[in-house]
Amino acid sequence: MAMASIESVTLGVADPTAANRFYTAAFGLDTQIRLRASKAPTTGFRGFTLSLTVSQSATVDSLIDTALDAGATPLKPAAKSLWGYGGVVQAPDGTIWKVATSAKKDTGPATRQIEEIVLLLGVADVAASKRFYVGQGLAVAKSFGRMYIEFAAGPSPVKLALYRRRALAKDAGVSPDGSGSHRLAIGGAAGPFTDPDGFAWEAASLTPAP
């Protein structure tokens, strides 16, 4: 049996054409993230962030600069921290993106290469959500107690991780308050289901959409 993993991430956006233009210009993402028109009411923090892991700080700066040029709002300027270097921006559609590297120094010129995409869900109870997802067939890759869980990605371009909601909001530089739709649909063979925090999974189509 194949291990359950994310096959697609779909963001609900007011204007898919504009959002597609932004993601292509900002990060060079075209096939990894899907977009769907949504007018579902949502306010404040939507309970998740997307993180782009890259190989070095010059690439972090390059991706954040192109995102800001394409219309993103800065939430946290790129800076060094204990674990590496990173910054946070908010896309015009409201999705929060972190761009980060664990490398302490550059080894060459900046590239546009994204090593992995991590979907971080902010959850009320990490242990309970971990049990839920293990029950859906996802395999735990890294676990830091009740703080942070990362699941094995398998062949997927997107890895799933769980973080306490308040901690995730703090990491993103926003207030944890928010209500309404997450404006997020996760596609995978394990779906359809809704997790304990209201994040919706859909059954992924076996063939990618054209």
Side-chain angles (χ1 to χ4, degrees):
M1 175 186 142
M3 187 185 64
S5 61
I6 293 178
E7 288 173 40
S8 65
V9 173
T10 303
L11 299 174
V13 299
D15 183 342
T17 308
N20 184 53
R21 214 165 34 234
F22 169 80
Y23 286 118
T24 305
F27 302 132
L29 295 174
D30 47 12
T31 57
Q32 299 93 328
I33 300 293
R34 297 179 183 182
L35 303 165
R36 179 184 295 163
S38 173
K39 292 194 165 55
T42 186
T43 59
F45 183 46
R46 281 166 32 199
F48 73 95
T49 66
L50 281 151
S51 184
L52 302 176
T53 309
V54 298
S55 63
Q56 57 181 8
S57 53
T59 303
V60 172
D61 289 336
S62 168
L63 289 168
I64 286 181
D65 287 348
T66 52
L68 296 174
D69 288 347
T73 306
L75 293 178
K76 272 194 173 175
K80 282 187 172 147
S81 70
L82 288 172
W83 47 260
Y85 181 82
V88 185
V89 299
Q90 189 163 24
D93 66 78
T95 306
I96 295 172
W97 292 80
K98 181 175 189 171
V99 187
T101 180
S102 56
K104 298 292 187 192
K105 49 167 79 79
D106 289 343
T107 51
T111 69
R112 304 283 294 164
Q113 185 79 33
I114 292 163
E115 296 194 335
E116 67 178 12
I117 304 172
V118 184
L119 172 62
L120 284 135
L121 301 183
V123 301
D125 181 334
V126 170
S129 291
K130 172 187 170 182
R131 281 194 302 274
F132 175 83
Y133 276 109
V134 168
Q136 299 291 342
L138 277 77
V140 175
K142 283 182 198 163
S143 176
F144 299 96
R146 293 176 171 273
M147 281 294 299
Y148 177 82
I149 304 287
E150 199 172 273
F151 295 98
S156 167
V158 183
K159 185 183 278 186
L160 179 70
L162 308 176
Y163 207 9
R164 284 201 305 226
R165 181 182 166 106
R166 296 192 77 83
L168 183 60
K170 186 179 177 191
D171 185 63
V174 296
S175 157
D177 301 329
S179 63
S181 172
H182 293 296
R183 287 201 183 183
L184 173 73
I186 308 163
F193 60 82
T194 300
D195 85 354
D197 293 274
F199 290 102
W201 284 63
E202 301 174 337
S205 52
L206 295 175
T207 51

